[in-house]
Amino acid sequence: VQFAQDHGMLLRGHTLLWHSQVPDWFFTDPKDSSKPATREQLLKRMETHIKTVVGRYKGKVYSWDVVNEVISDSNGLRGSSENSKWKEIIGDVDGDGFDSDYIELAFKYAHEADPDAKLIINDYGLESTGRKRTDMYNLIKRMLEKGIPVDGVGLQMHISIYSPSAKEIEECIELFASLKEYNPDFTVEVTEMDMSVYSWMQQKKEITNELLERQASRYKEI
């Protein structure tokens, strides 16, 4: 934070809520670690965590990835089968039939801690056409319709020289940009872009000038 301030740099906070790298105790009963925490206990811990971190850096971090990688690779929101316990424990708090309440509350807590910070929902695999992109769009649209302070979506953009196409990426950006209908300041951000010269699970190969030129050409195209 000090380095960013000393050099006139914008600082992004990543990430307040994730399924990975959360200590086990966060999801357990404080009196019996063999039992899960209650909804109320987990919500209180989540609120304390978010407001402590965001509050500490209020006015110094211009943008937060509030929640990261919440969309499942198989269907809907990531659950316990994908090592995420947020949804199972917190569930549908407001009774609207959707179990995305922990995401909505995370944004509310972050906004309360720093009303001026941009609040982003970040994920991978949105660049390609498919269910995951649609699920994220529907989630954000529903939150915006409820007045949840979502300021943008972050596209991690871990891609390769083989896919997705520039056209798919453009379609993705345009789809999420249409959410400006609900929030005129809604932004679509590329947050972690890298482009592999390997296809998925491909074994080690010789990296030729032809591959590197293809990579450079793809960067330019995108």
Side-chain angles (χ1 to χ4, degrees):
V1 173
Q2 191 62 55
F3 182 89
Q5 291 182 321
D6 290 346
H7 294 83
M9 302 168 76
L10 291 174
L11 188 66
R12 179 189 196 87
H14 177 86
T15 172
L16 297 171
L17 212 67
W18 196 20
H19 64 276
S20 185
Q21 300 178 358
V22 185
D24 291 339
W25 68 262
F26 214 84
F27 301 106
T28 61
D29 187 312
K31 295 179 180 177
D32 184 351
S33 60
S34 68
K35 296 179 181 178
T38 64
R39 170 191 287 176
E40 291 71 23
Q41 288 168 339
L42 186 53
L43 283 175
K44 186 61 183 174
R45 288 170 181 169
M46 187 176 88
E47 180 178 12
T48 300
H49 167 68
I50 291 174
K51 290 187 174 180
T52 299
V53 176
V54 177
R56 178 183 176 94
Y57 300 106
K58 183 179 181 180
K60 300 176 182 178
V61 172
Y62 91 101
S63 175
W64 287 97
D65 289 332
V66 180
V67 297
N68 188 54
E69 300 176 357
V70 295
I71 302 296
S72 168
D73 289 330
S74 56
N75 185 45
L77 292 180
R78 190 184 294 271
S80 55
S81 63
E82 292 177 285
N83 198 33
S84 180
K85 299 179 181 178
W86 296 105
K87 182 182 74 167
E88 270 71 18
I89 294 177
I90 294 174
D92 181 8
V93 179
D94 59 11
D96 66 353
F98 296 99
D99 52 10
S100 54
D101 296 53
Y102 78 94
I103 301 170
E104 299 173 11
L105 290 167
F107 274 87
K108 287 183 177 180
Y109 296 154
H111 182 70
E112 289 168 2
D114 188 352
D116 296 324
K118 286 179 63 178
L119 305 180
I120 307 296
I121 185 166
N122 194 56
D123 217 316
Y124 63 88
L126 306 177
E127 307 82 19
S128 301
T129 305
R131 178 206 55 81
K132 194 166 185 176
R133 177 196 292 183
T134 302
D135 284 353
M136 177 63 86
Y137 172 82
N138 290 336
L139 171 63
I140 299 172
K141 180 174 179 286
R142 190 168 68 247
M143 289 199 291
L144 290 173
E145 288 174 336
K146 294 175 69 174
I148 306 298
V150 186
D151 296 312
V153 62
L155 312 178
Q156 288 186 17
M157 204 81 87
H158 302 307
I159 61 177
S160 78
I161 61 174
Y162 305 105
S163 68
S165 67
K167 184 175 184 292
E168 280 183 284
I169 293 170
E170 183 177 16
E171 288 172 351
C172 172
I173 292 170
E174 292 294 346
L175 174 67
F176 287 112
S178 71
L179 292 168
K180 286 179 177 290
E181 174 187 349
Y182 304 94
N183 175 2
D185 296 323
F186 190 86
T187 61
V188 185
E189 303 183 355
V190 175
T191 55
E192 307 173 35
M193 184 173 177
D194 50 76
M195 187 188 295
S196 178
V197 294
Y198 286 85
S199 58
W200 179 246
M201 299 299 286
Q202 185 179 15
Q203 297 300 303
K204 188 175 181 180
K205 63 185 179 183
E206 180 186 359
I207 307 303
T208 63
N209 281 336
E210 182 184 4
L211 278 173
L212 296 177
E213 287 169 3
R214 183 173 178 181
Q215 184 188 50
S217 177
R218 287 272 291 148
Y219 265 115
K220 182 179 180 180
E221 182 186 16
I222 289 169

